[in-house]
Amino acid sequence: MCTLVVLSVLAILAQGSAQSAANKTVVEDRTRQAKALSVFNVVSFPNSACGATSGYNGTCYTAAECSSLGGTASGTCASSFGVCCVFSISCGSSSSSNNTYAIISSYSTSTDADPCTYTFCKTNSDVCKLRIDFDTMVLAAPYTVSTVANVDHGVRTGHCGYDSLTVTNPGGQSPPIICGYNTGQHMWIPASDSCNAINIDVDTGTTTTTRKWQIKVTQYECGNSMMPGQDCLQYHTAASGSIATFNWDTSSTTVSSGQVHLANQAYDICIRRTRSYCSVCYTPYISSSITGIASSYGVGASSTGPKQQAAIATLCTGITTQPAALGFGDYLEIANLQPATSAIASIAGTVNANSRICGAIFNTAASPQTAGATACSHAIPFKVGVHFDDEESFLAGPAGAASPNMNKAENDPAATDGAGYGYSGFWLSYWQNAC
C-alpha cells in the first residue's frame, strides 16, 4: 500500500488601497485570512498489478519506491499518483517483487551464463503460490524419433538430453523437467519460505537452436480466487480453451512425426468449473480421419495388433515393455470419462465410464474404435492427470509399428486412419457444458 500526502494551496488575496485597509474591522481581517486556505490530501493506493506502456505487467508504486526497489517506471497508475513499475532480473539474480520477468531474447552460448538461475522469494508472508508463465520458452528439443527408428530409440525418446529447465520446490515435489518448445505454457508451484529457483541448463555444444525465453512470475496470496485450491501444476480458468503436453508445438497447424512428449511426466491439469456448468468435454485440437495426416493425440500403442484402435481402461497399464513388446506405459486419467452421447446418470459408474485413456485414437467408447470422438466427464473437480513413464516402445525400420504389431509399438509413421503418433502427447480442445 502506498500513501502520498498532497499539499494544495489556494490563496485568494484581497487587495485594496492603504487608506481602506486601515479602516478594515477585525472581522473583515479574519475573513481575509480565512481566504488563504491550505488543504492536505492523503492519497493511498494498493500495490496492485498494472499494465505497463512497454507491454509488460507491472506493480503500482510511487516513483520513489519503484526506483528504490530496482524497477523501471513504464506508464502511470492509481489516477497518475503512481507509476507502473516493471521488474526484470538477469541470470544469477533474485527478486522478491511481484510480476517479475526473466528475459533473454537470444541466448548466447559464449557470453550468457550456463546454467542460468533465477531466484524468486516471497513478497510477504501471506504469499501461498507462484504462477510461472512461459510467455516465450524455446530450448533445444528432447531426443526425438529418427526417420528410421531403432528398437533402442524408445528408451531415450522424450528425454531432455541437451537443454533442461527445472523449478525447485523446497520441502515438496518439484515439477517435471521440461525442454523444447513451451511458449504459452505455465506452472503453479507452492511459494517457499526458502525461495524458489528456476534453473535453465544449456548444452553449449549444441547451437542449432535459437534459445530464447520470457518468463513471468506472479505471486498470489492465500485465498486468492484466481489460484488453484488443489494440487494442480496447471490451472485453466476459461470455460473453453485448450490444453497441451509440454514440448507440444502449438504454433503449428499440423502434427509432425518428430513431435514427441517429454519423458517422466506426472502432474495434474485442472480446469476451474464455471458457475452452473456440470461437465467438460475434450477432443483433439487437430482432428483427422485420413491416413497420413495425424491428429493431435498420441499416448501409446493400439489396443489390438492388426488394427490401429483406441485404448482405454485396463489396457492402460502404465507399463512399457522393451524391446517393442508392449506400448501402454503412458496414459491420461480423467474421472468418469465417457462418450459425449452418454447420459449423466453414468457418473455413478455404469457402462462406458472410464478413468484412463491411452493409445493413438481419442475415443472412450467401450468397444475398440478406429476413429476419434469427443469424450466428456461429469466428475468434479475437472481434472486431467498426466502419466508418462521414462520410455517408449518402438519397432525398427521405416514401417515402424504395422499390422499385426500395432499394440507392441507406438511409432506408426502412417498415422493410420488419422491416428496420432503414439509418442507425440496431446493437444486437446476443452469446453464446459451447462447443467
Side-chain angles (χ1 to χ4, degrees):
M1 179 71 72
C2 294
T3 302
L4 290 174
V5 178
V6 181
L7 172 62
S8 299
V9 178
L10 176 61
I12 304 176
L13 300 177
Q15 296 182 355
S17 64
Q19 291 82 1
S20 62
N23 295 325
K24 293 295 183 183
T25 64
V26 174
V27 174
E28 290 173 329
D29 187 56
R30 288 178 178 174
T31 301
R32 177 163 41 85
Q33 291 176 14
K35 290 180 180 179
L37 178 64
S38 295
V39 179
F40 291 87
N41 292 327
V42 178
V43 179
S44 296
F45 55 89
N47 302 127
S48 56
C50 54
T53 55
S54 59
Y56 298 121
N57 285 352
T59 303
C60 198
Y61 283 106
T62 66
E65 284 177 321
C66 181
S67 178
S68 66
L69 292 170
T72 301
S74 179
T76 62
C77 53
S79 300
S80 296
F81 287 110
V83 295
C84 195
C85 192
V86 177
F87 297 95
S88 181
I89 58 175
S90 57
C91 294
S93 299
S94 63
S95 174
S96 59
S97 298
N98 198 5
N99 298 315
T100 295
Y101 287 85
I103 303 172
I104 288 185
S105 56
S106 180
Y107 181 89
S108 170
T109 56
S110 59
T111 60
D112 286 317
D114 179 36
C116 176
T117 300
Y118 304 102
T119 302
F120 300 90
C121 301
K122 291 183 178 182
T123 297
N124 59 63
S125 59
D126 292 331
V127 172
C128 274
K129 290 193 176 184
L130 305 181
R131 175 176 167 130
I132 303 171
D133 280 285
F134 302 110
D135 295 340
T136 301
M137 177 53 63
V138 180
L139 298 175
Y143 293 129
T144 187
V145 183
S146 64
T147 304
V148 181
N150 293 322
V151 292
D152 60 348
H153 285 179
V155 297
R156 74 171 195 167
T157 296
H159 286 262
C160 296
Y162 303 107
D163 298 350
S164 64
L165 183 150
T166 57
V167 180
T168 65
N169 177 24
Q173 183 176 356
S174 294
I177 298 171
I178 65 171
C179 57
Y181 183 94
N182 290 291
T183 296
Q185 296 277 14
H186 72 277
M187 294 180 178
W188 285 89
I189 60 169
S192 172
D193 291 334
S194 302
C195 302
N196 303 82
I198 297 175
N199 185 80
I200 301 174
D201 196 355
V202 173
D203 180 357
T204 55
T206 304
T207 59
T208 55
T209 300
T210 301
R211 302 168 174 94
K212 54 186 176 181
W213 56 81
Q214 178 176 303
I215 305 169
K216 180 180 67 179
V217 176
T218 308
Q219 305 195 20
Y220 286 79
E221 295 184 350
C222 305
N224 190 306
S225 61
M226 293 302 293
M227 72 179 186
Q230 311 160 57
D231 187 16
C232 309
L233 183 66
Q234 295 191 318
Y235 186 51
H236 297 264
T237 59
S240 62
S242 65
I243 56 177
T245 44
F246 291 110
N247 190 49
W248 191 285
D249 186 358
T250 55
S251 68
S252 177
T253 57
T254 59
V255 183
S256 164
S257 61
Q259 172 68 58
V260 300
H261 69 71
L262 301 181
N264 295 310
Q265 305 281 297
Y267 62 93
D268 288 337
I269 302 172
C270 301
I271 300 171
R272 186 176 67 180
R273 179 190 173 198
T274 302
R275 185 184 298 274
S276 300
Y277 283 66
C278 290
S279 66
V280 60
C281 294
Y282 308 91
T283 199
Y285 191 91
I286 299 172
S287 295
S288 171
S289 59
I290 302 172
T291 296
I293 301 177
S295 297
S296 60
Y297 170 82
V299 187
S302 169
S303 59
T304 62
K307 294 181 179 181
Q308 185 63 267
Q309 293 183 321
I312 59 173
T314 55
L315 278 171
C316 306
T317 60
I319 298 173
T320 300
T321 304
Q322 295 281 8
L326 195 63
F328 301 119
D330 306 324
Y331 63 91
L332 303 184
E333 190 161 14
I334 306 173
N336 190 245
L337 190 65
Q338 55 195 282
T341 55
S342 297
I344 294 178
S346 63
I347 190 171
T350 57
V351 68
N352 291 354
N354 306 290
S355 63
R356 290 188 179 186
I357 183 169
C358 52
I361 293 176
F362 191 82
N363 192 319
T364 191
S367 58
Q369 302 292 314
T370 58
T374 297
C376 304
S377 171
H378 298 275
I380 297 169
F382 300 153
K383 182 166 64 174
V384 177
V386 179
H387 302 269
F388 295 159
D389 66 1
D390 64 346
E391 57 186 345
E392 309 299 315
S393 183
F394 286 168
L395 279 170
S403 181
N405 297 308
M406 289 285 198
N407 60 335
K408 293 183 178 180
E410 302 165 54
N411 59 321
D412 170 18
T416 306
D417 295 328
Y421 302 113
Y423 49 81
S424 64
F426 63 84
W427 183 14
L428 302 176
S429 296
Y430 77 85
W431 61 93
Q432 299 182 39
N433 304 289
C435 300

